[in-house]
Amino acid sequence: MQILPINYNNKSYSSTNKKCSNVNFGSMKLYSTEDVVKLSTPIEQEVSDGLRKLVGKIKFVDKILGKNDKTIKPVGTKIGDSFVYINMDKSVKGKTKINIFSDTKGIVFKLNPMTHQYTRIEDPEYIRQFLDIIISDKDGRMSNGIIQTIDGSWKTFERNTHTGKRSAEGESFRLIPNLSECNNEQRNLFDMGYDRDTLTIKNIFLNLFSKLSLVKPDISLK
């Protein structure tokens, strides 16, 4: 398999070591399952708008960089209450390496087994969600990619630049041309216990990754 993009930051794939505060169930507000779902479910329009904003920022960085240039430090953009950062390297002929990451909150709603309701964790840990991809300058398609989101699972992708043959690994990640390809990734996914901003970033990243992996990608970063 082709070597994936470089890790621009030694801590890029690491969660921030921030411990959760002790939870005192007796003095905290309790939330029902319905409350948590309502507070956490991503809003489709916010995911769509965030994806467009991120793609626009990536195109902007690509445009301002020289032909063989690369970013010295990450370029940030705010999506909702979260910051997303972009590193780009165009120093290898024919390839653009892009690293995208965001430090988002871990679990914020914790189940109380005594009441079967949830309490909010006021000082949650932070988890880094990221994409590391290579875009072919010739046709603008993703030739290699890897993504990790809040659940810690990885999805990888590779496209043979000569034959177009694609391969992928990862749970719920399918490559079935013209049928239901990446269907699980292009709808908004919900994970119990996380907040809306975290899940919005997760869905933006998954949508971008899955769209770029199509036989004929319906999104371009060039």
Side-chain angles (χ1 to χ4, degrees):
M1 181 173 286
Q2 193 174 355
I3 296 175
L4 290 170
I6 61 174
N7 180 352
Y8 297 89
N9 185 330
N10 289 333
K11 297 182 180 179
S12 290
Y13 302 165
S14 303
S15 301
T16 303
N17 294 322
K18 188 176 182 182
K19 296 182 179 180
C20 298
S21 59
N22 293 327
V23 179
N24 182 349
F25 293 119
S27 62
M28 298 187 74
K29 179 179 178 180
L30 297 177
Y31 298 84
S32 67
T33 299
E34 291 76 15
D35 291 333
V36 173
V37 171
K38 185 177 180 180
L39 290 168
S40 303
T41 302
I43 298 171
E44 184 176 350
Q45 189 63 47
E46 291 181 355
V47 174
S48 298
D49 290 347
L51 179 59
R52 280 193 293 270
K53 184 174 183 179
L54 178 58
V55 169
K57 194 70 172 186
I58 294 170
K59 288 182 175 181
F60 171 76
V61 175
D62 181 70
K63 185 177 180 180
I64 64 174
L65 281 179
K67 191 172 183 179
N68 299 306
D69 206 353
K70 61 182 177 181
T71 53
I72 298 174
K73 59 183 180 179
V75 177
T77 187
K78 192 174 183 182
I79 298 178
D81 288 332
S82 301
F83 283 94
V84 177
Y85 296 93
I86 302 161
N87 283 300
M88 189 174 294
D89 185 347
K90 301 172 68 175
S91 62
V92 179
K93 185 177 180 180
K95 299 177 182 179
T96 298
K97 299 180 181 182
I98 306 172
N99 167 246
I100 308 163
F101 66 91
S102 180
D103 292 323
T104 53
K105 293 177 182 177
I107 294 290
V108 295
F109 292 104
K110 184 175 182 179
L111 181 64
N112 182 345
M114 301 284 292
T115 64
H116 300 290
Q117 291 181 300
Y118 291 82
T119 54
R120 183 185 288 273
I121 298 173
E122 298 300 333
D123 188 25
E125 65 177 354
Y126 278 72
I127 299 172
R128 179 159 292 185
Q129 306 190 70
F130 71 87
L131 293 90
D132 230 355
I133 59 181
I134 294 177
I135 301 295
S136 169
D137 293 339
K138 182 178 180 180
D139 57 16
R141 295 184 181 185
M142 179 171 69
S143 59
N144 286 79
I146 187 167
I147 181 173
Q148 185 179 61
T149 53
I150 49 175
D151 60 2
S153 64
W154 294 55
K155 292 176 173 59
T156 63
F157 172 85
E158 182 178 11
R159 188 195 312 266
N160 187 302
T161 55
H162 299 292
T163 65
K165 183 179 180 180
R166 302 169 304 149
S167 61
E169 294 182 5
E171 185 178 355
S172 302
F173 192 49
R174 306 286 186 266
L175 298 175
I176 309 174
N178 306 318
L179 185 59
S180 58
E181 189 171 17
C182 305
N183 182 58
N184 285 357
E185 312 307 337
Q186 294 192 50
R187 72 171 188 264
N188 292 336
L189 301 180
F190 175 78
D191 298 83
M192 198 69 181
Y194 295 92
D195 71 2
R196 180 172 291 145
D197 284 316
T198 293
L199 295 179
T200 296
I201 295 298
K202 174 183 178 177
N203 280 283
I204 289 171
F205 283 9
L206 285 172
N207 271 270
L208 178 59
F209 189 75
S210 60
K211 288 176 182 293
L212 288 171
S213 71
L214 298 175
V215 173
K216 295 182 179 179
D218 54 8
I219 197 167
S220 174
L221 302 182
K222 291 287 185 178

